[in-house]
Amino acid sequence: MAKIIVTFNGLVQQEITISKSRLTIGRRPSNDIVIDHLTVSGQHAAIDTSSNGSFVLDLGSTNGTMVNGQPIKKHLLQDDDVIDIGKYKLRFQVEQSGKQTFVPEPGQVQAVAVDKPRVKIKVMNGNNAGKELNLVKAVTTIGSPGTQVIAITQQGKNYVIAQVEGDAAATVNTVSIKDKPHTLKHADMIELSGTKMAVIFY
């Protein structure tokens, strides 16, 4: 579950749980997140959420939308990203679901602890060969914004990879993921802009 915390001059104004596919942000009362300030457009921005993650989009606002100090048109949000809209700051937070312990029913021998597998990506070629990236965030993005970007999203016990930016297709095991997300498995081989990366479950 993710939420947006709206602050003004460091004071929390409102807190909204992302519970639907699109949240609109703006000055008009019809928006899901209403920010009544002259620097904010009537319909300023939106947050679109799908299985590929949550994206913030600028809706052609007068003063623009920024994420972590950088102007954006569309941006894949990650935990603790800060969206600047006018004088307001909207912090995106993902509530991490940790280990769950199931209490046994009568007749069961013991409780079973369920935890997410640990996964890392290892670069196999190029200047960064040998480097490893542990997938510890709810959403991990890899690539060059505006050129080619992939996102790996934790969904329960699964890790799903999808292409979110770029005309050229990224691949998993030489199969394009441009239009079809893929659930990662151990030893899958990702290729992104000529860089090959192995998926390691451990």
Side-chain angles (χ1 to χ4, degrees):
M1 188 72 74
K3 62 184 178 181
I4 298 290
I5 300 169
V6 182
T7 60
F8 182 75
N9 289 337
L11 298 173
V12 175
Q13 305 291 309
Q14 51 184 315
E15 191 172 303
I16 302 96
T17 298
I18 298 176
S19 57
K20 58 183 189 176
S21 58
R22 169 166 276 210
L23 289 176
T24 57
I25 306 163
R27 204 167 69 243
R28 292 194 200 115
S30 57
N31 288 290
D32 298 295
I33 302 175
V34 179
I35 301 177
D36 190 11
H37 196 277
L38 291 175
T39 58
V40 180
S41 297
Q43 196 167 54
H44 194 106
I47 295 172
D48 285 351
T49 301
S50 70
S51 60
N52 293 334
S54 292
F55 295 82
V56 59
L57 299 87
D58 184 80
L59 300 177
S61 64
T62 304
N63 293 316
T65 303
M66 300 175 77
V67 175
N68 302 330
Q70 299 296 318
I72 60 95
K73 293 296 180 188
K74 181 179 180 181
H75 175 84
L76 177 64
L77 291 167
Q78 300 196 53
D79 189 30
D80 262 355
D81 275 352
V82 176
I83 307 163
D84 287 296
I85 293 181
K87 303 283 187 182
Y88 287 73
K89 293 186 181 298
L90 290 72
R91 185 177 293 277
F92 176 79
Q93 287 193 337
V94 178
E95 295 172 7
Q96 300 285 2
S97 56
K99 183 180 289 187
Q100 294 176 297
T101 301
F102 295 95
V103 178
E105 295 290 332
Q108 285 185 322
V109 178
Q110 60 182 17
V112 180
V114 176
D115 205 354
K116 291 174 182 170
R118 295 180 0 169
V119 184
K120 61 186 176 183
I121 302 293
K122 184 174 183 178
V123 181
M124 304 304 289
N125 64 346
N127 294 334
N128 293 315
K131 286 193 175 179
E132 295 182 349
L133 172 67
N134 287 303
L135 301 182
V136 293
K137 294 182 177 181
V139 181
T140 301
T141 54
I142 304 170
S144 303
T147 305
Q148 199 178 35
V149 177
I150 56 173
I152 300 173
T153 308
Q154 286 186 19
Q155 297 182 11
K157 285 186 176 184
N158 294 325
Y159 288 76
V160 178
I161 185 170
Q163 184 166 341
V164 294
E165 282 188 44
D167 293 328
T171 63
V172 176
N173 304 330
T174 71
V175 177
S176 168
I177 58 166
K178 188 172 181 183
D179 300 310
K180 186 178 180 184
H182 171 85
T183 301
L184 291 172
K185 300 182 292 295
H186 179 69
D188 275 351
M189 188 65 68
I190 302 165
E191 186 162 349
L192 175 72
S193 300
T195 301
K196 294 184 178 181
M197 295 167 280
V199 179
I200 301 169
F201 282 66
Y202 63 103

